Amino acid sequence: MILIETTPNNAGVTIQGDYWDFDQLYNAIHETVGDDGEYEAYSATRLRVLALCYDLRHARMGDREFTFVSNGLTDETRLWRGIVAPDMNLYLSILVLWPELLFYALALNDFAELRAAKLSRDSYNPFENGNVIWDASLAQVRMFQAAVWSCIEQTVPPTVLGRIRNLMLHSRTSYANYATQYLDVLNIRFLKLNSEKRVKNISIMAKRLVEMDDEYWGYWNGINRAARAYGCAPEDIRLQIEYPEEIDW
C-alpha cells in the first residue's frame, strides 16, 4: 500500500511503500502514459511524470531512503502460529516536492483518459467499458491519486479543501503541449517559503497548475519561441533558474 505524508517542513512529501508497491506503481504509470511518441502532444508531460518512475526505480535498486513500518504481527500471533518473524516491514521511501506531486496527480487524469479511450477503442463513456473497469494499471494510478488526496486532506486547513477538490477534480485543463518548465518555476518559488507559508500555498500551487494564467502563457510563449529558434523540441529548452543545493524538507 502506497503511503504519502508531508515532510517535516512541508517542502514536499514522502512516498512510501514496500518493494512490490513501488514495482506495481512503476509499471502502472509506464503503462498509463504510453510508449514514447504514442501521445505526441503529451511528450513533455509524459517525460515529467516519468521522473516519478525514475525515483521509484532507483528506490527499488536501494538508491533512496527506507523506513520500517509495523506489519501488525503480534507476539500472540507468532506463538499461536509457531513462527519466528519480524514485527516490522521494510518500506522504500522517495521525496517529491509539493508542486511536483500536484502536477503528477493532475496530469495522470489526462493519461488515464487516453488509456481508457485506447482500451475501449473510443467507445462512448470509455471508463464504463469492460476493458477499462478492471484494468490493473488504471486502478493503480487511481490508488496513487487517492493517496495524494489523502495527504492533502491531512495537510491543508479544512477551509481550503473544497477549493482544492474543485480545482483538481472538476477542471477540464489539458496538459497537452504543456510547458513543464513552469513547474520548475513553481517548485523554486515554493521552496523559498517558510514551513507555515508552504502549507498555505499548496492551494495556490494547485490553482497555478490548473488555471494557467498570464504568467504561465508568458513562459509558454517564450519557451516555444526559443524552441523554434534553436530547432528543438520545447521540452529541451532549459530556463536559467536553479534549485537550491540543499532542500529544507
Side-chain angles (χ1 to χ4, degrees), residues 39-80:
Y39 308 122
E40 189 172 348
Y42 285 88
S43 59
T45 301
R46 176 181 178 273
L47 285 174
R48 195 75 187 214
V49 173
L50 287 178
L52 174 59
C53 288
Y54 176 86
D55 278 334
L56 292 171
R57 180 168 64 88
H58 276 266
R60 291 184 307 165
M61 296 166 58
D63 193 27
R64 293 295 185 270
E65 300 299 318
F66 62 87
T67 187
F68 291 96
V69 177
S70 173
N71 59 22
L73 194 60
T74 64
D75 291 338
E76 291 78 8
T77 302
R78 281 191 286 265
L79 182 62
W80 175 55

Side-chain angles (χ1 to χ4, degrees), residues 15 36 52 77 121 147 165 177 202 210 215 225-226 229 232 239:
I15 301 177
D36 185 20
L52 174 59
T77 302
R121 298 182 181 179
R165 182 187 293 110
N177 300 309
I202 290 174
V210 169
E215 181 185 54
R225 281 197 303 269
C232 64
L239 301 180

Side-chain angles (χ1 to χ4, degrees), residues 179 182 212-225:
Y182 184 60
M212 299 184 189
D213 58 12
D214 290 343
E215 181 185 54
Y216 166 78
W217 288 112
Y219 279 104
W220 189 93
N221 287 324
I223 289 164
N224 279 272
R225 281 197 303 269

Side-chain angles (χ1 to χ4, degrees), residues 11 97 184-185 187-193 198 241-249:
L97 295 171
D184 295 311
V185 175
N187 283 336
I188 293 171
R189 185 177 298 166
F190 191 77
L191 287 173
K192 291 179 179 179
L193 303 173
R198 286 170 179 170
I241 56 177
E242 294 184 3
Y243 283 81
E245 292 185 5
E246 294 186 6
I247 294 177
D248 184 18
W249 289 98

Side-chain angles (χ1 to χ4, degrees), residues 145-160:
Q145 291 174 308
V148 172
W149 178 249
S150 178
C151 182
I152 293 172
E153 286 184 311
Q154 296 170 28
T155 304
V156 305
T159 51
V160 300

